[in-house]
Amino acid sequence: MTTTKKQLHRIDLIFKNDEDCKEILRKALSKPNQEIINEMVNSGLKGRGGAGFPTGLKWKLTAESKEKDKYVICNADEGEPGTFKDREILSRVPHKVLSGMAVCAKITGARKGFIYLRGEYKFLVPELKKEIRKFHDILDDLGLDFRVEIFLGSGAYICGEESALFESMEGKRGEPRNKPPFPTECGYLNKPTVINNVETLAHSYTILKFGAQKFRDLGVKDSRGSKVFSVSGDTPIPGIYELELGMTVQDFVDDFGDGDTKAVQVGGASGFLVPRKRFAKTTIGYQGKLTGISLPTGGSMMIFNSSRSMYNVLNNYLDFFEEESCGQCTPCRVGCQQLLKGIRAVKRGEKPTSYLDKLMKLTETMKLTAKCGLGQSVANSFSSIVENFREEMIY
Amino acid sequence: MSNMVNLSINGIAVSVKEGLTILEAAEKLHIKIPTLCYHKDLCIAGNCRVCVVEQTGNNKLVASCATPVSEGMEINTNSLKVRNCRKHIIELLLTEHREECTKCYRNGHCELQELSAEFQITNQDFIDLVPDKNYTVDRISPAIEKDDSKCIRCQRCVRTCAEIQSVGAIAVSHKGSEMKISTFFDRSLDEVVCTNCGQCIVHCPTGALTEKSYVEKVWDAIADPDVHVVVQTAPAVRIGLGEELGLGSGTRVTGKMVAALKRLGFDSVLDTDFTADLTIMEEGTELLTRLKRALVDGDTEVALPMATSCSPGWVKYIEHKYPEYLPNLSTCKSPQQMFGALAKTYYAKNIDVEPQNIVSVSIMPCTAKKFEANRPEMKDSGYKDVDYVLTTRELAVMIKQAGIEFEKLNDEHFDSIMGVSTGAGVIFGVTGGVMEAALRTAYEIVTGREVPFDNLEITPVRGLAGVKEASIQITGTKKEWNFLEGVELKCAITNGLQNAHKLMEAIKNGERTYHFIEIMACPGGCLGGGGQPFPVDNEVRLKRMQAIYEEDRNLPIRKSHENPEIVQVYQDFLEEPLSHKSHKLLHTSYVKREQY
Ligand SMILES: Cc1cc2nc3c(=O)[nH]c(=O)nc-3n(C[C@H](O)[C@H](O)[C@H](O)COP(=O)(O)O)c2cc1C
Ligand code: SF4
């Protein structure tokens, strides 16, 4: 008996190259600021790199600030293991990202922008610099006083967190700051700053080109538009896919799984593990509990089939966090060490299985008290894995 | 007028100024929120997370030290959620911490210990992380010890060293589980730019940073019948010691301190204030000599402004950071070292004891003094001039060990000679004090009249401000000083090395010119020194400052040159300021040091 797999709708907005960039930009820049902001707000676009903050609102808040100096920063730190969609976007359609930055600069009044590029992506620099030079010429033609520079990151995962990124750009150690104040008020050099993910900026170009409605037509309520996913793990077709938001994990597995999928990690190490029994009930988007708080929503989708040990999966995640935590705050620095050592001790029988419950409570504390998204989101993978695969943690 | 913000904390309504934090608002309601990384002297870090509180409508807890109040905010500082989280956080800190409270220098003075007692952390289920940690313990410096196994990574020391002191000898390195507080390439504190000021110790909540203790060595010396143990006490000790022994901040305990030292068994109990007066004679004369060379002889080589040299933290700082200005440093040794040199010469002869049989101990509000006493050049008496330096805190330890009920002691007097001092000597313990003492004497020498200030109180040089400037117009000079007629003597005073840095930059850039600058490494001067009792903040410093000025007001003699023992030491031994003998015993030289 054969069942026909439903093929998920592939979207081709982000990577589609077009030659009329300058015209699109000219049109966009000629619109009044309020109109651009309305377009962005109406599109429903939410950040594709982090907490899913509404992009239009972020731009609006920064535009409203009376400060003279402001900045637009493109976050291209892409540190989430297994994701490389930002790299692809920057190498294939850099002008879309730059255009997004320029329009943002126009409405906020920023005259300076940066691309904070992950250290490992240094090889992109020469090509990117050429693009930027071309783009600056276009801006000169269009009469917009805005310049973009590349800032090469130092390699630490935490530097992708926006406030740690500012610290790092200011020549300090990459440690997240206290919030409030938020970047829209106090960002790079303590000036109002819009910081957006590469993909977010590329989407903003699409919105300006086709209008908010076309973007809204994709996706579901609260999760509008398309998203670039990095699909990896036990799949016959790993790679980068632009898909419409709002699909269920079941739809996704039907399309990308190898027929033996037991779980999918949505949103990378800081996201959630969805077990088979919840595939149909789980929607991939911003509101459904699942990705709503997954950080960063780098779009990593990792597929595990029944040969995988979920203990190993969790062990790897915790190993990653234990090393990549900036180490400044207690719940995250020490919490990660305790979780990692804790599951190992349970596995070896040195701690009773009830110790897992104590660790679950600890992740709750981490979620409530850690200073930044990293420490707060360790609970996601920990609790979803331990709850659903408890036996694998023990035996 | 700043705006007021209304909020409620634990159901109690309160209205506070905009910009305050939740922690500060709670303080107004007398609600204590526990903290660790927070310190009033420092910028906010918000990293320990102990001060988290619940805010209605926020699904996370917020760090009260770092979160400003906002209109309508509802805060709960003691909900079940908050308590459980806090308890977790303290437990977590303890798992990284080598728990050896009973063997720890900070036992009884440790903020982590206090919190864990408050939260009754009695059973520890989490895994002890210490065995896998490979912690380093640095005991090489003669002044400061650093034990990473006691560190809770609050970065108070890092912020202190960078913000208050502009030194940056310690910084955060590594990330994740390996994150730690390190020096340049993990060298010993002795081999980096550390000034030994000890401000990091005073700001450390645990036993991770402590002074090197010489208490046992001093007990040994006292117990040795063949040696004569001389002790000197710095000005700021007499207004700090009480705090460590159950008395309030700023209690003057000079007489009790002397009585206690005698009971501890010191053979001679003498006063650093005496050599503070001597410093004024030497340094004042040095300043006038430099001025004469510059103004009369037209000597363009003479280094002005002249800078004070009694703060060994400052001396090491300038050696590292501004070596090109070493000629500007007064060549006078600090009062401690002048005392040491005289103890094994002048005093030894006076009491007829061989200098090799004298052990010279000093009690200092300072940890840099430990380093200073160990400088190789400090042996002008032919022996190590000062053998052991104890902090105010270490003296308190000895007093407690000896079972002395400090509060009940009757006042006693310093021994003589080298035990008589003046109000000018005692104000060496506060920022601006050296300047004031010097002006009281120099002005009088030059004009024959007292400084033109009520009751000798030169108010422009007083107070806790970081940088103070003063100028004094010199008129009606005596004949031999008439080259100073009409000169406006320009002075500046700083406390806390951050302010020294500011001042030196202004001098370097030519923005400011002075004749004389007084620089103290520690905030508030010696009264806020790295060897003084914990905890300290500006409120405490202010009380100590008031106590020092009271001490000055209450002394019969308040000008160094009128100290009869000073007159005597010149008559009997030194001849005159800057004499050959003075040069040999009381003056020194400096070295250029590396930048990191
Ligand atoms: C630990 C951590 C790492 C992060 N790394 C990235 C990153 O590599 N790229 C990124 O765009 N956002 C990253 N973020 C999210 C950023 O803080 C920020 O929310 C985002 O750049 C905002 O852009 P957006 O609104 O367009 O998503 C990270 C957040 C955390 C907590
Ligand atoms: S949660 Fe982790 S990464 Fe974030 S500030 Fe705290 S220690 Fe650093």
Side-chain angles (χ1 to χ4, degrees):
Chain A
M1 197 182 74
T2 51
T3 50
T4 15
K5 271 200 194 170
K6 186 181 124 202
Q7 168 95 45
L8 279 177
H9 183 41
R10 308 286 202 268
I11 310 289
D12 189 17
L13 284 173
I14 288 264
F15 292 109
K16 189 160 158 189
N17 234 319
D18 43 17
E19 301 304 320
D20 53 352
C21 155
K22 186 170 172 181
E23 275 323 298
I24 305 290
L25 197 56
R26 184 196 303 278
K27 232 176 66 200
L29 291 178
S30 66
K31 289 182 190 164
N33 288 351
Q34 194 52 50
E35 199 179 318
I36 299 175
I37 290 174
N38 290 346
E39 272 301 90
M40 289 299 294
V41 171
N42 292 338
S43 73
L45 173 62
K46 289 183 176 170
R48 300 301 199 230
F53 191 82
T55 307
L57 181 58
K58 195 182 267 189
W59 290 20
K60 179 169 180 263
L61 289 172
T62 310
E64 279 165 2
S65 159
K66 300 246 166 355
E67 282 264 3
K68 202 169 114 272
D69 295 324
K70 299 179 188 176
Y71 298 97
V72 176
I73 295 177
C74 166
N75 190 343
D77 197 43
E78 193 159 56
E80 185 76 42
T83 49
F84 40 92
K85 50 124 186 151
D86 292 342
R87 183 190 75 195
E88 288 304 295
I89 295 171
L90 274 179
S91 48
R92 286 159 62 184
V93 286
H95 63 277
K96 294 193 180 178
V97 179
L98 290 168
S99 302
M101 291 176 77
V103 175
C104 179
K106 174 200 156 27
I107 60 157
T108 54
R111 289 191 312 272
K112 186 106 204 110
F114 295 92
I115 298 176
Y116 187 98
L117 190 68
R118 175 181 176 157
E120 286 88 338
Y121 293 171
K122 201 172 160 191
F123 64 91
L124 289 179
V125 171
E127 212 33 55
L128 210 46
K129 275 202 168 145
K130 239 189 273 165
E131 282 295 328
I132 291 174
R133 250 187 318 251
K134 267 199 302 195
F135 188 72
H136 283 167
D137 290 341
I138 294 180
L139 292 183
D140 288 343
D141 273 359
L142 300 178
L144 184 71
D145 176 14
F146 180 60
R147 284 291 175 265
V148 178
E149 253 179 56
I150 300 174
F151 189 100
L152 209 57
S154 59
Y157 171 65
I158 192 60
C159 289
E161 195 280 338
E162 53 198 23
S163 62
L165 183 149
F166 302 144
E167 290 285 297
S168 137
M169 282 182 65
E170 291 171 15
K172 292 178 262 178
R173 181 182 154 82
E175 280 188 359
R177 299 175 181 169
N178 292 299
K179 286 175 217 163
F182 293 96
T184 48
E185 188 189 326
C186 181
Y188 175 54
L189 300 177
N190 296 333
K191 301 292 179 193
T193 303
V194 170
I195 178 162
N196 273 130
N197 174 254
V198 173
E199 185 189 341
T200 313
L201 290 162
H203 280 302
S204 68
Y205 173 86
T206 308
I207 292 164
L208 295 164
K209 179 172 174 179
F210 297 112
Q213 195 52 46
K214 170 133 183 172
F215 191 80
R216 277 194 76 80
D217 287 346
L218 295 172
V220 295
K221 184 175 178 291
D222 292 326
S223 305
R224 296 294 172 183
S226 58
K227 164 102 191 77
V228 184
F229 290 93
S230 307
V231 182
S232 62
D234 300 316
T235 167
I237 44 168
I240 287 194
Y241 298 89
E242 184 178 353
L243 303 171
E244 193 177 342
L245 287 173
M247 61 187 159
T248 64
V249 177
Q250 187 66 57
D251 297 338
F252 175 80
V253 168
D254 288 347
D255 206 348
F256 290 92
D258 63 358
D260 183 26
T261 304
K262 93 168 161 189
V264 179
Q265 178 81 10
V266 179
S270 24
F272 287 84
L273 185 93
V274 184
R276 187 181 292 147
K277 63 172 189 270
R278 300 190 52 89
F279 283 174
K281 278 180 271 176
T282 308
T283 305
I284 297 170
Y286 288 90
Q287 264 303 305
K289 172 177 174 260
L290 282 162
T291 48
I293 35 176
S294 65
L295 272 170
T297 42
S300 157
M301 301 290 280
M302 211 175 275
I303 303 178
F304 301 111
N305 68 19
S306 57
S307 72
R308 299 283 165 173
S309 147
M310 296 322 287
Y311 169 81
N312 285 346
V313 169
L314 181 58
N315 187 68
N316 287 346
Y317 288 157
L318 292 175
D319 212 28
F320 174 76
F321 286 127
E322 190 230 30
E323 202 176 310
E324 293 300 332
S325 148
C326 80
Q328 68 161 316
C329 80
T330 314
C332 174
R333 181 189 67 251
V334 196
C336 289
Q337 296 173 63
Q338 288 295 346
L339 295 178
L340 182 62
K341 287 209 160 103
I343 63 161
R344 289 178 180 172
V346 170
K347 191 79 175 175
R348 284 196 298 259
E350 292 160 12
K351 286 274 184 194
T353 57
S354 62
Y355 193 66
L356 289 173
D357 304 319
K358 187 172 168 86
L359 295 180
M360 290 280 256
K361 287 203 186 105
L362 176 60
T363 60
E364 187 59 24
T365 294
M366 291 168 69
K367 188 156 119 192
L368 290 171
T369 65
K371 187 166 172 178
C372 86
L374 190 150
Q376 290 164 5
S377 61
V378 175
N380 300 350
S381 50
F382 189 92
S383 55
S384 56
I385 293 177
V386 171
E387 259 168 32
N388 292 299
F389 295 94
R390 197 177 166 99
E391 307 76 51
E392 292 194 30
M393 299 299 117
I394 302 166
Y395 305 110
Chain B
M1 259 292 286
S2 56
N3 293 331
M4 299 303 278
V5 172
N6 302 297
L7 68 156
S8 83
I9 303 182
N10 300 347
I12 309 167
V14 62
S15 177
V16 298
K17 269 205 214 118
E18 190 178 355
L20 287 197
T21 61
I22 298 171
L23 182 71
E24 290 164 326
E27 209 174 275
K28 298 229 180 296
L29 289 176
H30 304 288
I31 295 170
K32 188 186 149 213
I33 299 174
T35 55
L36 278 174
C37 68
Y38 175 79
H39 193 291
K40 282 199 171 133
D41 284 349
L42 303 170
C43 79
I44 299 296
N47 60 33
C48 77
R49 314 307 284 176
V50 163
C51 74
V52 287
V53 296
E54 198 169 345
Q55 177 190 5
T56 309
N58 192 333
N59 57 5
K60 302 256 150 53
L61 300 184
V62 298
S64 59
C65 73
T67 311
V69 293
S70 59
E71 186 63 33
M73 207 178 216
E74 287 173 23
I75 297 295
N76 192 335
T77 69
N78 186 34
S79 67
L80 188 62
K81 217 187 219 178
V82 167
R83 238 180 357 258
N84 286 340
C85 283
R86 271 190 202 145
K87 216 164 162 171
H88 259 155
I89 290 169
I90 300 163
E91 281 176 1
L92 289 178
L93 285 172
L94 290 173
T95 64
E96 270 191 331
H97 185 87
R98 179 170 287 141
E99 281 174 86
E100 42 178 34
C101 294
T102 53
K103 289 180 242 157
C104 181
Y105 190 73
R106 285 292 288 264
N107 190 7
H109 288 283
C110 168
E111 293 176 35
L112 181 63
Q113 191 184 46
E114 224 172 89
L115 260 188
S116 89
E118 247 173 51
F119 280 80
Q120 306 224 308
I121 312 290
T122 45
N123 63 331
Q124 179 61 283
D125 293 343
F126 287 123
I127 295 169
D128 182 8
L129 301 171
V130 177
D132 290 341
K133 283 286 187 188
N134 218 349
Y135 281 128
T136 35
V137 184
D138 171 14
R139 299 195 200 286
I140 296 174
S141 152
I144 299 178
E145 297 188 343
K146 177 167 165 285
D147 179 349
D148 290 353
S149 73
K150 308 283 175 61
C151 174
I152 60 165
R153 283 64 157 188
C154 65
Q155 303 188 35
R156 266 158 58 166
C157 58
V158 174
R159 283 175 281 153
T160 301
C161 196
E163 284 169 30
I164 303 184
Q165 299 299 63
S166 287
V167 172
I170 39 181
V172 178
S173 75
H174 300 78
K175 59 184 176 25
S177 55
E178 307 203 328
M179 180 269 201
K180 61 173 183 174
I181 312 304
S182 316
T183 52
F184 186 71
F185 277 106
D186 271 335
R187 293 183 183 178
S188 146
L189 278 172
D190 200 33
E191 296 165 335
V192 295
V193 69
C194 167
T195 64
N196 302 298
C197 72
Q199 285 303 314
C200 57
I201 300 177
V202 185
H203 290 87
C204 177
T206 69
L209 285 156
T210 54
E211 68 259 53
K212 182 167 221 87
S213 175
Y214 295 90
V215 167
E216 292 309 320
K217 302 248 190 232
V218 173
W219 278 131
D220 286 350
I222 288 173
D224 184 345
D226 298 331
V227 298
H228 184 100
V229 189
V230 173
V231 65
Q232 56 165 318
T233 59
V237 177
R238 66 206 66 190
I239 50 89
L241 180 64
E243 282 172 37
E244 201 73 4
L245 295 163
L247 300 168
S249 305
T251 313
R252 294 158 54 206
V253 294
T254 316
K256 290 190 197 310
M257 173 186 75
V258 173
L261 288 164
K262 290 187 173 170
R263 293 205 186 180
L264 291 177
F266 288 101
D267 297 300
S268 301
V269 179
L270 305 175
D271 202 353
T272 316
D273 292 16
F274 163 77
T275 34
D277 283 333
L278 190 60
T279 301
I280 290 301
M281 300 307 293
E282 294 290 324
E283 200 165 286
T285 313
E286 185 185 355
L287 176 65
L288 292 173
T289 311
R290 288 196 194 205
L291 290 175
K292 179 159 183 292
R293 274 172 54 203
L295 299 174
V296 180
D297 312 340
D299 182 348
T300 49
E301 302 276 278
V302 61
L304 285 173
M306 188 176 92
T308 57
S309 57
C310 25
S311 166
W314 152 241
V315 169
K316 187 143 183 281
Y317 181 82
I318 188 174
E319 287 179 329
H320 283 291
K321 304 252 177 171
Y322 295 97
E324 70 274 27
Y325 281 94
L326 286 177
N328 294 62
L329 261 191
S330 160
T331 58
C332 287
K333 286 181 183 171
S334 73
Q336 160 176 282
Q337 293 307 131
M338 286 196 183
F339 191 103
L342 290 182
K344 293 193 181 180
T345 52
Y346 175 62
Y347 190 75
K349 208 154 103 203
N350 188 271
I351 57 166
D352 202 16
V353 174
E354 289 299 319
Q356 68 265 30
N357 292 334
I358 287 189
V359 171
S360 152
V361 175
S362 70
I363 316 289
M364 293 285 141
C366 180
T367 47
K369 292 280 175 197
K370 291 176 190 267
F371 170 84
E372 184 185 42
N374 278 295
R375 289 177 72 115
E377 61 272 23
M378 295 296 176
K379 287 183 181 143
D380 289 325
S381 64
Y383 305 88
K384 192 178 174 203
D385 293 336
V386 175
D387 293 290
Y388 305 117
V389 179
L390 304 184
T391 59
T392 309
R393 297 186 294 262
E394 287 173 280
L395 173 59
V397 168
M398 292 183 74
I399 292 172
K400 286 184 202 162
Q401 286 178 355
I404 295 169
E405 261 192 75
F406 189 73
E407 285 182 68
K408 302 278 158 56
L409 290 174
N410 289 325
D411 288 0
E412 290 184 35
H413 290 292
F414 285 106
D415 295 320
S416 186
I417 48 176
M418 294 176 44
V420 173
S421 68
T422 69
V426 85
I427 57 175
F428 263 59
V430 54
T431 166
V434 178
M435 181 63 68
E436 182 164 348
L439 290 177
R440 283 183 194 173
T441 289
Y443 190 88
E444 199 164 318
I445 289 176
V446 170
T447 66
R449 286 172 284 118
E450 286 192 340
V451 279
F453 288 92
D454 271 356
N455 198 21
L456 298 175
E457 292 173 11
I458 308 182
T459 42
V461 305
R462 295 188 173 192
L464 290 181
V467 182
K468 291 168 280 186
E469 291 181 304
S471 64
I472 190 163
Q473 186 87 32
I474 303 178
T475 51
T477 46
K478 293 208 257 183
K479 196 160 140 269
E480 63 270 38
W481 298 104
N482 65 7
F483 67 91
L484 286 173
E485 184 63 37
V487 167
E488 189 190 5
L489 191 70
K490 289 195 194 147
C491 311
I493 300 118
T494 72
N495 64 101
L497 289 171
Q498 164 214 13
N499 295 310
H501 168 75
K502 279 188 204 148
L503 185 74
M504 290 309 290
E505 288 300 309
I507 291 172
K508 210 168 157 173
N509 301 335
E511 286 162 32
R512 283 281 189 280
T513 49
Y514 304 101
H515 298 105
F516 189 32
I517 55 177
E518 179 211 289
I519 302 193
M520 294 294 157
C522 292
C526 308
L527 58 80
Q532 293 283 66
F534 332 99
V536 70
D537 57 20
N538 266 345
E539 210 176 299
V540 173
R541 291 186 191 103
L542 208 61
K543 286 188 185 151
R544 292 179 187 166
M545 181 178 92
Q546 283 156 356
I548 287 216
Y549 285 128
E550 252 170 59
E551 193 83 4
D552 167 37
R553 264 197 306 278
N554 282 283
L555 279 164
I557 310 172
R558 297 178 58 212
K559 293 176 277 188
S560 300
H561 57 280
E562 291 177 358
N563 182 339
E565 286 195 345
I566 291 290
V567 176
Q568 187 187 351
V569 73
Y570 280 114
Q571 261 171 15
D572 296 353
F573 188 67
L574 293 169
E575 295 156 17
E576 61 178 2
L578 304 190
S579 70
H580 182 70
K581 206 170 220 161
S582 293
H583 261 298
K584 179 173 177 320
L585 291 176
L586 309 182
H587 292 255
T588 187
S589 57
Y590 308 101
V591 290
K592 180 177 178 209
R593 295 175 196 269
E594 287 170 327
Q595 283 275 348
Y596 35 81

